[in-house]
Amino acid sequence: MLRIDVITIFPGLLEPFASESIMGIAQERGKVQIRAHNLRDWTTDKHNTVDAIPYGGGAGMLMKPEPLVAAIEEIAGPKGPQREGKVILLSPQGRRFDQGMAEELARESALTLVCGRYEGIDQRAIDVAVDCEVSIGDYVLCGGEVPAMAMIEAITRLLPGVLGNAESLDTESFQGSVLEGPQYTRPAVFRDLEVPAVLRSGNHAAVASWRKERALERTKQRRPDLLDEEKTNQPPARSEEPDGSDGKN
Ligand code: SAM
């Protein structure tokens, strides 16, 4: 079971998300446990303060290091080799989240996701307690809760036994560096637009080959960079071995 702890000042945003639909089913099946923790529970003053003005001036407030580090260390343990799993800070400055990273993180046993708010977080809390920073894209949101939910959903659906039809993962966009091609359901004709005949032919080999061609065509049109990346990641052909050998050594 993958344990996901989320540290946030708005646990109420996570709770319905974690209990509905696929996330709810994954929790019921014991594949994942998602817990939202209120950062204010680790404050020590009567106002439960989690933020303060930035040193050196500037706009807005920053999250203070003490409650954050106390929360992270209680939930995930102190930073170091004995820590189980990873502590990830959601940040627009982090490594970009993608399907490959979702697959990597789905192999962990525990993840602690730290949601920033305000103008961000005191650097010392990051240095002392965070293992890595992850961004969901080059834009700035008000907090890390939506990025955390996006990550949780992308990771959880990859866990064995979560999706009803595990085969659907194999043909999805980003599996094998291509996008999924166009898909059709009933009715066979909609506003004079017919479902391609091959999909109704019952010929499984022809359907598979049609889907492969459409997927490649769509990827070339919409995301040629994925095909370029795949070429770059291919091992060199024998004649192209850097040392000029045939690669047998
Ligand atoms: N001042 C920060 C900066 O310029 O990098 C942005 C702070 S943002 C308003 C507040 C919080 O939202 C961040 O600490 C982070 O947790 C979260 N956040 C915003 N955009 C994000 C993104 N693209 N990916 C991940 N987290 C994001």
Side-chain angles (χ1 to χ4, degrees), residues 89-93 114-121 134-144 147:
L89 170 68
L90 282 313
S91 161
Q93 303 174 20
V114 181
C115 303
R117 278 272 155 183
Y118 312 107
E119 286 309 312
I121 288 173
V134 172
S135 163
I136 60 157
D138 287 350
Y139 42 83
V140 178
L141 299 165
C142 296

Side-chain angles (χ1 to χ4, degrees), residues 30-44:
K31 306 294 177 194
V32 68
Q33 182 184 37
I34 304 166
R35 292 182 300 192
H37 304 272
N38 191 338
L39 177 62
R40 293 190 196 280
D41 293 344
W42 281 269
T43 54
T44 49

Side-chain angles (χ1 to χ4, degrees), residues 198-249:
V198 62
L199 296 180
R200 292 181 283 149
S201 68
N203 181 338
H204 298 299
V207 169
S209 128
W210 183 89
R211 285 192 171 141
K212 207 169 163 189
E213 281 165 26
R214 296 290 85 73
L216 196 61
E217 188 179 87
R218 180 166 279 193
T219 311
K220 278 183 190 156
Q221 277 165 0
R222 300 186 182 185
R223 292 291 305 274
D225 57 301
L226 294 176
L227 300 170
D228 294 344
E229 268 170 37
E230 192 180 36
K231 269 188 227 146
T232 317
N233 294 334
Q234 292 287 329
R238 282 187 171 184
S239 57
E240 291 166 12
E241 284 292 313
D243 61 0
S245 74
D246 62 3
K248 284 182 188 155
N249 302 324

